Amino acid sequence: MSQLLRDLLAGNADHASEFRDRFDQVQNSQTPHAVTVCCSDSRVLQDHMWGNSEPGYLFTCSNIGNRVIQRTASGEAVSGDVLYPIEHTLTETAIVVGHTGCGAVTATYDDLTDGLDEPAGIEHCLSVLKPHLEPALEHLPTDIERAAAVNRLVEYNVDRQVEFLRSSDDVPDAVDVFGVVYDFQDVYGGQRGEVHVINIDGETDVDALRAANPDIASRINRLWEY
């Protein structure tokens, strides 16, 4: 048995000891307060970024590019892992969580601009993102550096995922949809690891959002108004 697995199991033993009684209220059912859709990235600490350590509080999904979209035989639909808590566990808040330096957005940008050769599974994920990100390219400055372009497309991608959720007939109007970016690269200023709100129920204007939400105004930021 590898030392890594031993270390992981030792960590799990500590977890099980600490959480011994935390499952009492959620062993047989769940009513999470929010569903979060994060990018599959080892640097994105999906529950820890919110300071959450309570089972049943968040329904956390992750995939390449924090997508809420999946392809079906009848066309694009809200991904089942995102829709499940909305449909079956009374969850009325959805949060799309992008992150700075996103590899999926970077790969999509590179594929759109230069073309890429990726394994079929990765190509499938990128192909779902590409048609939603491609319209943004014409709005980017011609002299923008690659890293800056990617971080602007991160916001654009979050906006498109929020838009898709809000326009879906499968998502009730009562569901609040937020778009945020997790910053561990000092792109937005502030501290590394901070979450910056860029979209609330489709509204993306920073001044309007800050005026409507003064208590979190310092955490409402955007890199790009397109």
Side-chain angles (χ1 to χ4, degrees):
M1 184 170 64
S2 74
Q3 185 58 48
L4 175 59
L5 181 57
R6 289 189 178 94
D7 292 343
L8 290 171
L9 290 173
N12 176 252
D14 293 339
H15 164 81
S17 177
E18 180 184 351
F19 277 67
R20 184 185 308 275
D21 300 322
R22 294 193 186 183
F23 294 99
D24 289 350
Q25 304 302 316
V26 295
Q27 285 189 130
N28 300 313
S29 64
Q30 59 176 324
T31 54
H33 292 255
V35 52
T36 65
V37 189
C38 302
C39 187
S40 296
D41 189 297
S42 63
R43 301 164 294 180
V44 179
L45 306 178
Q46 298 179 20
D47 273 72
H48 198 57
M49 73 167 72
W50 308 109
N52 178 51
S53 61
E54 291 303 316
Y57 184 69
L58 294 177
F59 193 105
T60 303
C61 312
S62 64
N63 57 59
I64 292 176
N66 43 270
R67 292 170 286 109
V68 305
I69 303 166
Q70 72 180 46
R71 286 178 176 159
T72 71
S74 57
E76 291 185 333
V78 176
S79 179
D81 51 355
V82 180
L83 192 58
Y84 177 83
I86 293 172
E87 182 73 18
H88 292 289
T89 70
L90 306 178
T91 301
E92 293 190 339
T93 299
I95 307 173
V96 178
V97 185
H99 70 90
T100 52
C102 177
V105 172
T106 300
T108 304
Y109 175 67
D110 289 345
D111 198 11
L112 286 167
T113 54
D114 297 317
L116 287 179
D117 183 17
E118 293 282 3
I122 297 176
E123 172 56 32
H124 169 77
C125 295
L126 298 184
S127 73
V128 177
L129 284 176
K130 282 165 61 176
H132 297 277
L133 293 187
E134 187 170 16
L137 298 187
E138 65 183 63
H139 299 291
L140 290 171
T142 56
D143 59 347
I144 193 169
E145 295 184 355
R146 180 168 174 264
V150 166
N151 283 324
R152 281 154 179 76
L153 290 177
V154 164
E155 292 186 346
Y156 190 87
N157 181 44
V158 168
D159 289 339
R160 300 290 73 74
Q161 307 304 315
V162 169
E163 181 180 58
F164 194 84
L165 285 174
R166 296 186 71 246
S167 64
S168 172
D169 292 337
D170 293 325
V171 178
D173 292 340
V175 173
D176 291 319
V177 184
F178 304 118
V180 307
V181 177
Y182 180 65
D183 181 15
F184 50 79
Q185 297 180 324
D186 298 318
V187 172
Y188 288 82
Q191 299 185 73
R192 293 181 186 177
E194 283 188 339
V195 169
H196 295 266
V197 179
I198 68 166
N199 189 316
I200 297 179
D201 285 327
E203 178 60 71
T204 62
D205 181 81
V206 170
D207 290 337
L209 289 172
R210 287 175 177 171
N213 303 275
D215 54 324
I216 60 167
S218 65
R219 302 296 287 277
I220 298 173
N221 299 289
R222 287 189 73 94
L223 301 174
W224 197 27
E225 299 284 352
Y226 47 85

